[in-house]
Amino acid sequence: MKFKNQTIVSGFLLLGLTDDPELQPLIFCLFLLIYLVTILGNLLIILAISSHSHLHTPMYFFLSSLSFTDICTSTTTIPKMLMNIQTQDQSITYIGCLTQSTSVFTFGGFESCLLAVMAYDRYVAICQPLRYQIILTPDLCVLLVLLSLLTSTGHALLQSLMALRLSFCTNVEIPHFFCELAQIVNLACSDTFINTLLIYSAANIFFGVPIVGIIFSYTKIVFSVFRMPSAGGRYKAFSTCGSHLSVVSLFYGPGFGVYLSSAITDSSIKNAVASVMYIVIPQMMNPFIYSLRNREIKIALKHILTGKPFIFFCR
């Protein structure tokens, strides 16, 4: 443990993705575009689902919750980064930094839990279609979403409370574009064993447990689908899972890569760039994935954008 130059910090410096001044305008424009596309795309998904009663089903309720989470995740990180670039001021207050890291933990854990809940929704729809409305009642759907949110929020608050006990040295530079808790812990001069243990335990819980649930659900789905007599029925069943599997791969793949890279390499820049792949890109791509692969969403969005009546014909 290091105790020299210990001080009470009032804030940190977010170094961002690069210190090259020539690249700053390009990064600003790129992330501004990503943020606007993310907000607009997810708002359209929420609007399409809420304004059409045909889409008031458990699957689309979970999808609208996912879109809300994506908006919150992007709003937690990108606007502060854009403001720092615009004002040429890399500072963030101590409380602001902890608030941002708490929000990232909350919405990251919430999205992970939601993806597991959505896998359970697909399992019930395909393996127990006659009992779908009986099992996934509106009350249960709301309960699953609230339980996911409360669990992730409680854990994020615990992480932040444990971070309050840390003391810091004179180095307050965070080599990242947002306040990642692991980077804050690395700057501490006091004992960080408990904090590090909590961070990696959180990664195992909020990534491992939902992944196990997703794998279990899709294992059941695969066995159920292959027992279907017609090829058309099998194709239709698998097609309803395509969008969710794409979102799962986009969320967990880069996240797992960041987890491994942080454990293997000490390159802060590589970790920061890799973090973009799980904290920025999935939130932007999710609306495109669901709108391009889901016929009902495409029809609803077309109605909103053109003003034509919403008419859906079942095949």
Side-chain angles (χ1 to χ4, degrees):
M1 291 185 296
K2 300 175 290 182
F3 294 99
K4 62 180 181 179
N5 296 328
Q6 206 166 326
T7 183
I8 299 176
V9 299
S10 59
F12 298 95
L13 295 177
L14 294 173
L15 300 185
L17 296 175
T18 179
D19 56 359
D20 188 347
E22 295 183 357
L23 291 178
Q24 295 294 336
L26 176 62
I27 292 176
F28 179 86
C29 294
L30 178 62
F31 275 80
L32 178 61
L33 178 62
I34 290 174
Y35 181 65
L36 293 176
V37 170
T38 300
I39 299 300
L40 179 60
N42 284 288
L43 281 178
L44 283 174
I45 293 291
I46 294 173
L47 181 61
I49 293 172
S50 61
S51 60
H52 297 98
S53 59
H54 183 80
L55 301 180
H56 293 177
T57 63
M59 182 179 78
Y60 293 109
F61 172 70
F62 296 138
L63 176 57
S64 61
S65 300
L66 182 67
S67 293
F68 170 76
T69 307
D70 288 338
I71 291 174
C72 293
T73 302
S74 297
T75 303
T76 297
T77 56
I78 298 181
K80 178 59 180 175
M81 176 188 182
L82 295 176
M83 187 179 71
N84 285 359
I85 295 176
Q86 183 67 22
T87 61
Q88 296 296 306
D89 181 8
Q90 298 176 319
S91 64
I92 183 171
T93 64
Y94 178 73
I95 297 299
C97 192
L98 285 182
T99 301
Q100 189 181 61
S101 65
T102 302
S103 300
V104 170
F105 254 106
T106 298
F107 295 117
F110 185 31
E111 181 156 353
S112 184
C113 293
L114 272 179
L115 291 176
V117 170
M118 294 171 77
Y120 175 69
D121 167 78
R122 292 298 82 209
Y123 158 73
V124 176
I126 294 173
C127 300
Q128 304 184 53
L130 297 179
R131 301 184 60 207
Y132 182 72
Q133 297 293 341
I134 299 174
I135 295 175
L136 286 174
T137 62
D139 290 341
L140 179 61
C141 293
V142 173
L143 180 63
L144 288 173
V145 171
L146 287 179
L147 185 62
S148 300
L149 179 59
L150 290 175
T151 302
S152 57
T153 301
H155 174 262
L157 289 175
L158 174 63
Q159 293 277 8
S160 296
L161 289 174
M162 293 303 298
L164 288 174
R165 59 182 283 274
L166 298 175
S167 55
F168 297 90
C169 302
T170 55
N171 180 22
V172 291
E173 295 181 345
I174 298 177
H176 222 305
F177 67 95
F178 69 96
C179 285
E180 189 181 47
L181 189 60
Q183 298 291 342
I184 299 175
V185 171
N186 286 339
L187 296 179
C189 294
S190 54
D191 186 9
T192 60
F193 173 76
I194 296 178
N195 299 83
T196 304
L197 182 64
L198 277 175
I199 290 173
Y200 283 96
S201 297
N204 291 325
I205 292 172
F206 283 100
F207 278 83
V209 174
I211 286 176
V212 169
I214 292 169
I215 292 174
F216 176 80
S217 296
Y218 276 102
T219 301
K220 293 286 188 179
I221 288 172
V222 169
F223 281 115
S224 178
V225 167
F226 279 116
R227 287 198 296 266
M228 293 179 178
S230 67
R234 290 194 292 269
Y235 174 79
K236 185 177 180 180
F238 276 129
S239 65
T240 62
C241 302
S243 298
H244 179 255
L245 284 173
S246 300
V247 170
V248 167
S249 302
L250 192 61
F251 180 77
Y252 286 110
F256 186 66
V258 171
Y259 179 78
L260 284 181
S261 65
S262 62
I264 296 173
T265 180
D266 292 328
S267 176
S268 300
I269 297 299
K270 288 183 179 180
N271 290 340
V273 173
S275 296
V276 174
M277 295 303 298
Y278 81 91
I279 207 72
V280 175
I281 302 300
Q283 288 70 28
M284 179 185 68
M285 294 302 299
N286 288 351
F288 291 101
I289 292 172
Y290 274 98
S291 61
L292 292 176
R293 298 181 64 94
N294 189 295
R295 180 169 172 256
E296 295 181 354
I297 290 291
K298 280 196 290 187
I299 295 174
L301 288 175
K302 184 177 180 181
H303 160 63
I304 291 175
L305 295 175
T306 63
K308 295 180 180 179
F310 177 77
I311 302 174
F312 176 76
F313 297 99
C314 296
R315 291 179 177 177

